[in-house]
Amino acid sequence: MRTGSCRLFHGAATAAFLLAALSGASAADSGPAGVSVRDGWMRALPSSVPSGGYFTLQNKGGKAVILTGANSPACGMLMLHKSEDKGGMSSMMDMAEVSVPAGGSVSFTPGGYHLMCMDTTPALKPGATVPVTLQFKSGEKLTVPFAVRNAAGK
Ligand SMILES: [Cu+2]
């Protein structure tokens, strides 16, 4: 019965891990199942100028997720924006929600959806890493590190 006991042990180890993860503070910020963030970064600009945050939100889960907001200790306020080109004039709109379909992804890029970091703190300096927490309509949150780059995006 070697296999049986091995499986038993594995099950116990998994349960212990899950318990540890659930009781840990970070577990509450692990986001909806299957949802992850890739290539998160924020552009540091001279103080008091709003800074953009960019990333790709991937949803490998079985149902659509809806992003409703974001926050970061590096920003007084972190807003969901979308840049739009209207007759050669670029403008930004506040977005109340951004939906990511099941099995899909949404890219936040300069010129499209982006995060807008208002009232930046000194933590937002090139070379640093700042945490960003994404909030979903389900009430779940996902906290990920964003790299801070300079005005040129490097
Ligand atoms: Cu903006």
Side-chain angles (χ1 to χ4, degrees):
M1 300 301 282
R2 269 183 86 92
T3 349
S5 57
C6 179
R7 196 180 301 133
L8 250 178
F9 176 75
H10 183 75
T14 306
F17 171 77
L18 279 176
L19 263 179
L22 285 171
S23 57
S26 63
D29 289 358
S30 61
V35 172
S36 62
V37 166
R38 273 188 294 135
D39 307 326
W41 66 281
M42 226 179 260
R43 193 195 303 277
L45 295 172
S47 63
S48 80
V49 179
S51 297
Y54 312 104
F55 61 102
T56 297
L57 189 57
Q58 190 158 35
N59 179 11
K60 289 183 175 169
K63 56 181 189 216
V65 294
I66 297 169
L67 183 66
T68 55
N71 63 68
S72 170
C75 312
M77 207 190 324
L78 191 53
M79 308 172 79
L80 290 181
H81 272 183
K82 187 181 186 185
S83 291
E84 280 204 333
D85 228 349
K86 283 181 186 160
M89 293 284 288
S90 181
S91 66
M92 292 197 272
M93 296 190 317
D94 273 324
M95 302 298 292
E97 319 188 317
V98 177
S99 182
V100 188
S105 66
V106 171
S107 290
F108 286 67
T109 57
Y113 287 120
H114 58 276
L115 297 178
M116 193 106 272
C117 177
M118 320 293 286
D119 303 323
T120 58
T121 74
L124 203 71
K125 57 169 187 274
T129 300
V130 297
V132 170
T133 299
L134 302 177
Q135 297 152 358
F136 296 88
K137 200 165 195 172
S138 58
E140 289 162 296
K141 295 177 181 183
L142 176 59
T143 299
V144 288
F146 271 48
V148 182
R149 300 184 190 168
N150 64 19
K154 291 179 179 165

